[in-house]
Amino acid sequence: MTGAAILIRLSSQTLELVEDGTTVATYPVSTSAKGGGERSGSEQTPRGRHCIKEMIGADLPAGSVLVGRQPTGETCSADSYAAHPTRDWILSRIMWLEGLEDGRNRGGDVDTFARYIYIHGTPDDQPVGVPESHGCIRMRNDDVIELFDRVRIGTPVDIEE
């Protein structure tokens, strides 16, 4: 894991895991339906240089529901999703991002961490590969668990158009 980094491309809706300069995995993701942007309240995905500040959900079962960064004991199913289709489901794992560029994605009304921007799981029957989130980076549950197990706090994350 030495030299691990993440590259998220808004244009292709992909997340690349890079280890020692080589892309070792590429995953489809869903970023903001409103595109890239850093302002609080914009519901856009913040761009620029970030890192993983906190990792939440280690060892939870796939599909575990997290609310306020805490597991609820619930597992998302087709029935629970159908009952709450507008809920912003945060499942399986959370990698909470911190912006590293003062004035761009750190501090004031552009602070990624204060905006609660995560890489997290989403219901498996929901689309990925298309922009549909409220700012976070959504992944399939198996993919987010695999990624979570391959990175650590401090892993750099670059988000680009």
Side-chain angles (χ1 to χ4, degrees):
M1 183 168 33
T2 307
I6 294 171
L7 174 61
I8 298 166
R9 298 179 195 271
L10 303 182
S11 61
S12 60
Q13 295 293 293
T14 57
L15 181 152
E16 296 175 22
L17 176 61
V18 179
E19 292 178 356
D20 297 320
T22 301
T23 299
V24 295
T26 302
Y27 305 98
V29 297
S30 179
T31 62
S32 174
K34 297 181 179 181
E38 293 68 46
R39 296 270 177 240
S40 181
S42 69
E43 295 188 352
Q44 295 176 304
T45 299
R47 298 160 296 189
R49 186 80 161 164
H50 297 80
C51 72
I52 298 173
K53 175 76 171 180
E54 292 189 29
M55 296 178 68
I56 301 163
D59 300 322
L60 288 176
S64 294
V65 177
L66 295 115
V67 174
R69 295 159 306 285
Q70 298 295 318
T72 65
E74 174 187 11
T75 300
C76 183
S77 67
D79 290 339
S80 57
Y81 179 78
H84 305 282
T86 60
R87 182 176 178 180
D88 188 15
W89 294 89
I90 299 173
L91 306 178
S92 300
R93 304 288 186 275
I94 293 172
M95 288 162 272
W96 192 352
L97 301 182
E98 176 182 47
L100 298 177
E101 298 174 88
D102 289 334
R104 181 176 187 197
N105 56 31
R106 182 183 182 116
D109 69 346
V110 295
D111 196 280
T112 296
F113 189 76
R115 290 181 58 204
Y116 301 97
I117 300 295
Y118 314 138
I119 301 169
H120 66 81
T122 196
D124 285 329
D125 62 348
Q126 293 308 294
V128 293
V130 294
E132 288 199 353
S133 84
H134 301 282
C136 287
I137 296 91
R138 297 177 182 171
M139 298 180 73
R140 296 256 177 258
N141 290 296
D142 287 346
D143 291 349
V144 79
I145 291 168
E146 179 179 303
L147 179 66
F148 187 97
D149 290 344
R150 295 178 76 171
V151 298
R152 64 178 183 259
I153 290 174
T155 296
V157 179
D158 284 307
I159 304 175
E160 64 180 36
E161 290 292 336

